[in-house]
Amino acid sequence: QMQLVESGGGSVQAGGSLRLSCAASRSIFSMLFMGWYRQTPGKQRELVAIINRDGNTNYADSVKGRFTIYRDNTKNTLYMQMNSLKPEDTAVYYCNAHSLIAYWGQGTQVTVSS
């Protein structure tokens, strides 16, 4: 079992930055993939960014060049640096860790005002 706790969300103006953190209750070294997803009311949860064990990353087109995902295995923590935020980035952001099963955090709200 693994618990994931997100933090770092908040309210910012367009053009601002936030860094999300996802602290895991145990080692994340064995996680094949870790990622950030987001969801707005009435819409499906969508993948924002993902990183594998080797550090390879992939991003949704809408955030490429603005968001950076990285993991610190020594701290059992996943991060996402979000720059040049836009109002359309407003959502609840969820952390995900995936090995044989998937684990989810409780989500953190990000609100970007114009």
Side-chain angles (χ1 to χ4, degrees):
Q1 192 66 286
M2 172 184 282
Q3 281 74 48
L4 301 173
V5 179
E6 301 100 333
S7 62
S11 297
V12 295
Q13 289 192 327
S17 297
L18 287 172
R19 188 181 77 160
L20 302 183
S21 300
C22 172
S25 59
R26 63 173 177 83
S27 173
I28 63 172
F29 180 78
S30 63
M31 294 296 110
L32 296 177
F33 296 94
M34 295 192 74
W36 290 97
Y37 291 72
R38 66 188 180 188
Q39 189 170 23
T40 54
K43 293 189 176 181
Q44 285 190 327
R45 193 170 296 187
E46 64 172 359
L47 175 65
V48 178
I50 196 166
I51 184 168
N52 69 6
R53 277 186 63 176
D54 296 328
N56 298 310
T57 59
N58 202 8
Y59 298 89
D61 288 343
S62 59
V63 306
K64 282 180 181 176
R66 301 188 297 121
F67 292 9
T68 302
I69 186 173
Y70 57 103
R71 59 195 283 178
D72 187 338
N73 291 340
T74 65
K75 296 182 179 180
N76 298 327
T77 302
L78 176 73
Y79 301 94
M80 185 163 69
Q81 178 66 42
M82 305 188 297
N83 298 328
S84 302
L85 282 161
K86 302 176 180 180
E88 51 263 43
D89 295 320
T90 295
V92 178
Y93 284 72
Y94 297 90
C95 174
N96 169 266
H98 191 93
S99 57
L100 295 180
I101 60 176
Y103 303 95
W104 291 93
Q106 82 289 348
T108 185
Q109 176 70 47
V110 171
T111 302
V112 185
S113 58
S114 57

